[in-house]
Amino acid sequence: MSDELRLEIGAGVATLTIDRPAKRNAISFEMWSRLPEITAEVERSGAEVLVVRGGEHFSAGADISEFTTLRAGAEGAERYAAAVHLGERALAGLSVPTIAAINGFCIGGGCEIALACDIRLAAEDATFGITPAKLGLVYHFTSTRALVHAVGPAWAKQILFSGEFIDASTALRIGLVNEIHPGEALGKRVDELAATIGSRAQVSLRGAKTIIGRIQDGLDSEDRAVTELYANAHTSAEYAEGVAAFLEKRKPSFRDVR
């Protein structure tokens, strides 16, 4: 795996680190193209949570220096856009919960990656923006939909129309991020939340993530696939462990029954 995208599998928690500091973690075509492979590895690993991190910066966006070469012409633009879309969809489609830990710049494609995650925690000095209006591009439909779901149509319009940057406190107020923390406390809070989520019943987490995704895609009432999630949960070893732990007044140990 390229050092610019580094996947580490820990005890229940996988961490994907964007590490391209010379470019403020700008995402290259190669990096976008590798996201489906990386997310498939997360699925195979049995990880319970994926944390996506940067360094000084989460990501300053797509690597615009490639646009005059790899994105040149209609065919190049289509190929490049397809790689971005497939990478974003692979991350959004992971069956396990995902957390974006955001420092510094989270701009353009960086925001696209963050929005593909289920939960976004940010440092108080983080900066956000989505800037296709500065480049003469149109933001992809699924990424625009994710932005609208996060902040609502009015703020999505302001963010995309203006291309202006917003600070972390505004991002929190409009729903772009879930929490903000002092920079030195962000890592601890992310690790704490990842550990908490990882300790919960996976059948519950995956069911909730599936149903929320279906609702976001327009489902407005239960269908057979949703009712099957209920049935699968009620017959799972995790359900039996959860009920037994409650009756025995102890903490459930879901990892022991998976």
Side-chain angles (χ1 to χ4, degrees):
M1 179 174 298
S2 164
D3 289 342
E4 294 174 346
L5 284 178
R6 194 169 64 252
L7 180 65
E8 299 166 281
I9 308 295
V13 178
T15 301
L16 175 60
T17 302
I18 306 168
D19 188 13
R20 202 184 182 203
K23 289 270 191 175
R24 293 181 176 176
N25 283 354
I27 311 297
S28 68
F29 176 81
E30 178 188 358
M31 293 161 74
W32 285 116
S33 299
R34 298 205 58 252
L35 281 174
E37 172 192 341
I38 291 168
T39 55
E41 186 172 345
V42 174
E43 294 282 13
R44 291 192 299 268
S45 74
E48 299 152 343
V49 184
L50 173 66
V51 174
V52 182
R53 302 179 184 271
E56 180 183 358
H57 299 288
F58 184 76
S59 173
D63 186 350
I64 297 174
S65 69
E66 296 181 332
F67 283 18
T68 57
T69 53
L70 297 179
R71 203 166 185 164
E75 185 176 334
E78 184 177 349
R79 179 170 173 262
Y80 197 105
V84 174
H85 176 63
L86 290 173
E88 182 271 340
R89 285 293 87 195
L91 183 55
L94 265 174
S95 64
V96 302
T98 52
I99 303 172
I102 302 166
N103 286 91
F105 288 136
C106 183
I107 310 298
C111 236
E112 201 162 4
I113 288 175
L115 280 164
C117 294
D118 299 311
I119 297 170
R120 290 168 292 281
L121 306 187
E124 289 178 338
D125 60 354
T127 300
F128 300 83
I130 303 175
T131 57
K134 294 181 178 180
L135 298 169
L137 298 173
V138 176
Y139 207 44
H140 198 281
F141 173 83
T142 52
S143 297
T144 302
R145 181 176 61 189
L147 178 64
V148 172
H149 284 156
V151 305
W155 265 105
K157 289 175 183 178
Q158 181 165 334
I159 289 168
L160 291 173
F161 291 177
S162 71
E164 293 177 341
F165 292 173
I166 60 175
D167 59 24
S169 61
T170 301
L172 177 65
R173 177 168 55 85
I174 67 178
L176 186 59
V177 299
N178 298 67
E179 302 176 10
I180 59 174
H181 298 275
E184 66 275 9
L186 177 63
K188 180 180 178 182
R189 173 55 181 153
V190 169
D191 292 345
E192 175 187 80
L193 182 59
T196 297
I197 292 172
S199 73
R200 304 307 190 204
Q202 290 296 298
V203 68
S204 302
L205 303 185
R206 294 179 186 231
K209 180 164 181 173
T210 298
I211 292 173
I212 292 168
R214 297 287 300 282
I215 291 168
Q216 289 178 313
D217 287 340
L219 185 71
D220 59 7
S221 61
E222 292 181 10
D223 60 11
R224 179 171 295 181
V226 170
T227 57
E228 285 178 357
L229 292 172
Y230 306 151
N232 291 339
H234 290 153
T235 58
S236 71
E238 287 185 307
Y239 172 72
E241 167 62 10
V243 172
F246 179 84
L247 295 175
E248 295 165 13
K249 296 182 172 54
R250 60 175 174 83
K251 290 184 177 179
S253 183
F254 295 117
R255 290 188 176 113
D256 290 341
V257 299
R258 286 173 193 156

